[in-house]
Amino acid sequence: MSTERAFDGLHVVVTGGTGALGRAVVDAFVAAGAICHVPHRGAAPADMKASEQLRLVGGVELSDEARVARFYADLPGLWASVHAAGGFAMAPALATSLADLRAQLDQNLVSAFLCSREAARRMGAAGGRVVNVASRAGVDIDGGKLAYTIAKAGVVALTRALAAELGPAVLVNAILPSTIDTAANRAAMPSADRSRWSQPADIARAISWLSSPENANTTGALVPV
């Protein structure tokens, strides 16, 4: 289904919006008429310029409860919140420290929890859409990345629990990409078979539809891309 101009004048948050996946998501929303709010911790990329449709908000640590609450409370309105912020770490179980686990939980699960909660509070009875970026690793579990797997499995559970509690006003879904085809991943895995890697633009299209008014009743879905 087309989402062309489906977001005209609607306010949308995209966390991780300065990263490779997040920028594809922001581009899709802007093309569809949305006003995108992009929280970021450090400096925004030099080639990413604020505009009427792109509002960059610096100094937002997504694992800081008070700062996330202020960010959402200051929004002029909210239709959708997409949580593409996260991190990845490879390490076998016996080499994973508690600090490693906590870092992955903060980057992936805590950020998604805080942003989902505050987004739902901001939407209120008017309703809206929440989309979390989880991972195939959170459902098709193998070894070698224990902390990341636990964190993304938590995002899957978070999504299903919120969908059960917040519907039908707020619809909550998750995208499950495989390895995402980014410059960083290509550099890290130069000999990998990229034929089944997820393309940022494909993920962005799926997120756009799940976030749109055209999605009238899909909630609690875990969508592989």
Side-chain angles (χ1 to χ4, degrees):
M1 297 176 69
S2 172
T3 56
E4 184 176 357
R5 309 311 299 180
F7 293 89
D8 271 341
L10 296 179
H11 292 268
V12 176
V13 167
V14 181
T15 73
T18 61
L21 172 59
R23 292 185 72 163
V25 175
V26 168
D27 288 346
F29 279 126
V30 168
I35 301 166
C36 281
H37 302 262
V38 178
H40 57 95
R41 181 173 51 191
D47 63 340
M48 196 171 190
K49 303 298 184 183
S51 68
E52 184 61 30
Q53 279 188 265
L54 177 58
R55 302 180 182 182
L56 302 170
V57 183
V60 182
E61 168 55 62
L62 295 176
S63 63
D64 182 327
E65 185 172 26
R67 187 63 186 89
V68 171
R70 287 198 304 273
F71 166 73
Y72 278 91
D74 288 344
L75 294 174
L78 186 61
W79 168 256
S81 193
V82 175
H83 309 138
F88 176 77
M90 286 287 293
L94 301 187
T96 299
S97 68
L98 179 56
D100 295 333
L101 176 60
R102 284 178 170 158
Q104 285 295 294
L105 290 174
D106 277 348
Q107 291 174 42
N108 295 289
L109 178 56
V110 172
S111 64
F113 160 68
L114 291 175
C115 291
S116 296
R117 188 192 69 189
E118 294 307 314
R121 285 176 171 170
R122 186 67 183 83
M123 291 168 185
R129 308 288 181 267
V130 171
V131 180
N132 292 314
V133 177
S135 170
R136 298 280 184 92
V139 293
D140 298 327
I141 295 173
D142 57 14
K145 45 186 180 292
L146 179 70
Y148 177 77
T149 296
I150 292 170
K152 288 299 189 181
V155 175
V156 168
L158 170 70
T159 300
R160 300 296 298 273
L162 287 174
E165 188 170 339
L166 299 179
V170 179
L171 305 184
V172 186
N173 296 285
I175 294 291
L176 307 179
S178 58
T179 301
I180 302 174
D181 192 356
T182 65
N185 283 338
R186 288 188 176 216
M189 296 173 277
S191 60
D193 177 9
R194 299 194 295 268
S195 64
R196 295 187 62 81
W197 285 15
S198 299
Q199 299 300 315
D202 292 337
I203 300 170
R205 279 191 289 270
I207 289 172
S208 182
W209 184 82
L210 287 170
S211 303
S212 76
E214 292 184 356
N215 173 22
N217 51 29
T218 297
T219 191
L222 308 175
V223 181
V225 180

